[in-house]
Amino acid sequence: MTCDEVRLHLLDYQQGRLRLETQSTVRAHLDGCSGCTRADAVEQELTRLLEHRLPQHPASLALKRRLATRWSEPARGRSSWSRWRSSLAPALAAAAVVLVAMPIVYYERASSRAAREQSAMVAEAVNDHLRVLSSQRPLEIESGGLHQVKPWFEGRLEFAPVVSFEGDADFPLKGGSVGYFFDRKAAVFVYTRRLHPISLFVFRAEGLHWPASEGASTTDERGFTVVLWRRGALGYALVSDVDRRELTSLAAKLESAR
């Protein structure tokens, strides 16, 4: 199945309404597609909001009595429309409540989705940094200076990483390697601060959720600090366990060296 086909089946998949073969196909696709996995999570959150967080307003006593009177009327002699109207009244009332509540739900859904996607980017940056640290060969090109590291990426990436900070006595550049950020290749530049390695991931920015406010966002996650920002078509993630102020200082140097 393509991503578009899978997303059409997500609601039925979550509710177990698909045939066994289709259910297995969708599950296999989700296991290997991070984009559709995020879409599945969004659908589950929307379902939860619709089922549990819509405002509920009790009917007035007068409305209850009027509905009870209509439902107790004998069906004999009534037109087919009258019979259908009585049956549809509760559904129409429920639909009215949903229509009133939908702007709130969509606002909450958008806010919740933005927060989840931002959190996912932070978690991905930490995971990628840990992969660099645990790699048997964290540096595929050791630094002889930025003029040697940047050309090494040519032919290994489908974009040219824009990094101009050469490193200095506080944050020397140790080298680089090719990594991944979600589903896309990333250039990895490794700086250090004393004994602390610092990973800078540079990747294509499109298709990812970035903060509405301009500039970098800084988040603490699992003992690491992550600084995320976007510059044109490229995204940047800076990760380390150094002091938060020191990492933001390096982020400022990377930005000012443009």
Side-chain angles (χ1 to χ4, degrees):
M1 281 189 178
T2 66
C3 290
D4 289 340
E5 291 171 333
V6 166
R7 295 183 188 194
L8 288 175
H9 288 89
L10 282 180
L11 184 57
D12 289 334
Y13 168 74
Q14 293 165 7
Q15 298 180 356
R17 295 200 300 251
L18 297 176
R19 290 181 300 178
L20 184 60
E21 180 182 352
T22 306
Q23 190 91 356
S24 300
T25 302
V26 173
R27 184 183 305 110
H29 182 93
L30 292 176
D31 288 342
C33 179
S34 59
C36 288
T37 300
R38 289 195 295 275
D40 182 47
V42 169
E43 287 294 337
Q44 291 184 39
E45 177 66 13
L46 178 58
T47 299
R48 187 183 68 83
L49 288 172
L50 290 172
E51 290 180 350
H52 302 295
R53 299 188 61 181
L54 280 177
Q56 298 182 8
H57 305 285
S60 67
L61 182 59
L63 176 59
K64 290 178 180 177
R65 287 174 176 171
R66 191 159 57 249
L67 290 175
T69 300
R70 287 187 175 273
W71 289 341
S72 63
E73 291 177 359
R76 184 178 304 169
R78 296 163 61 190
S79 66
S80 58
W81 164 243
S82 297
R83 292 192 297 271
W84 275 104
R85 182 176 59 186
S86 297
S87 301
L88 288 174
L92 292 173
V97 173
V98 170
L99 288 174
V100 170
M102 282 307 290
I104 299 172
V105 172
Y106 278 115
Y107 174 79
E108 290 188 354
R109 177 190 180 188
S111 300
S112 178
R113 177 179 180 182
R116 283 200 311 275
E117 292 189 353
Q118 184 71 12
S119 177
M121 289 180 65
V122 171
E124 177 70 13
V126 172
N127 291 338
D128 292 341
H129 177 63
L130 291 173
R131 277 193 284 268
V132 171
L133 297 183
S134 63
S135 172
Q136 294 182 352
R137 192 182 177 190
L139 299 179
E140 295 179 274
I141 172 68
E142 295 191 17
S143 177
L146 192 62
H147 64 284
Q148 289 187 2
V149 176
K150 283 180 67 176
W152 179 84
F153 288 105
E154 293 180 7
R156 293 178 169 86
L157 300 171
E158 63 273 21
F159 64 92
V162 180
V163 175
S164 301
F165 179 59
E166 296 272 357
D168 56 20
D170 292 328
F171 301 101
L173 175 64
K174 292 299 183 181
S177 62
V178 173
Y180 279 86
F181 193 86
F182 285 122
D183 57 348
R184 59 206 66 195
K185 281 187 174 181
V188 184
F189 295 83
V190 179
Y191 296 87
T192 58
R193 174 63 173 159
R194 293 186 289 271
L195 297 177
H196 299 270
I198 303 171
S199 298
L200 171 65
F201 299 92
V202 186
F203 46 89
R204 291 179 292 106
E206 73 273 12
L208 299 175
H209 180 84
W210 296 90
S213 58
E214 295 184 359
S217 66
T218 305
T219 309
D220 294 319
E221 170 88 6
R222 287 180 280 163
F224 296 91
T225 299
V226 179
V227 184
L228 292 169
W229 72 94
R230 179 174 182 170
R231 186 191 303 163
L234 297 179
Y236 295 79
L238 190 64
V239 193
S240 183
D241 62 348
V242 299
D243 182 80
R244 181 186 179 106
R245 289 172 296 180
E246 293 181 324
L247 195 65
T248 54
S249 172
L250 174 56
K253 291 183 178 187
L254 289 163
E255 277 288 279
S256 64
R258 285 190 288 179

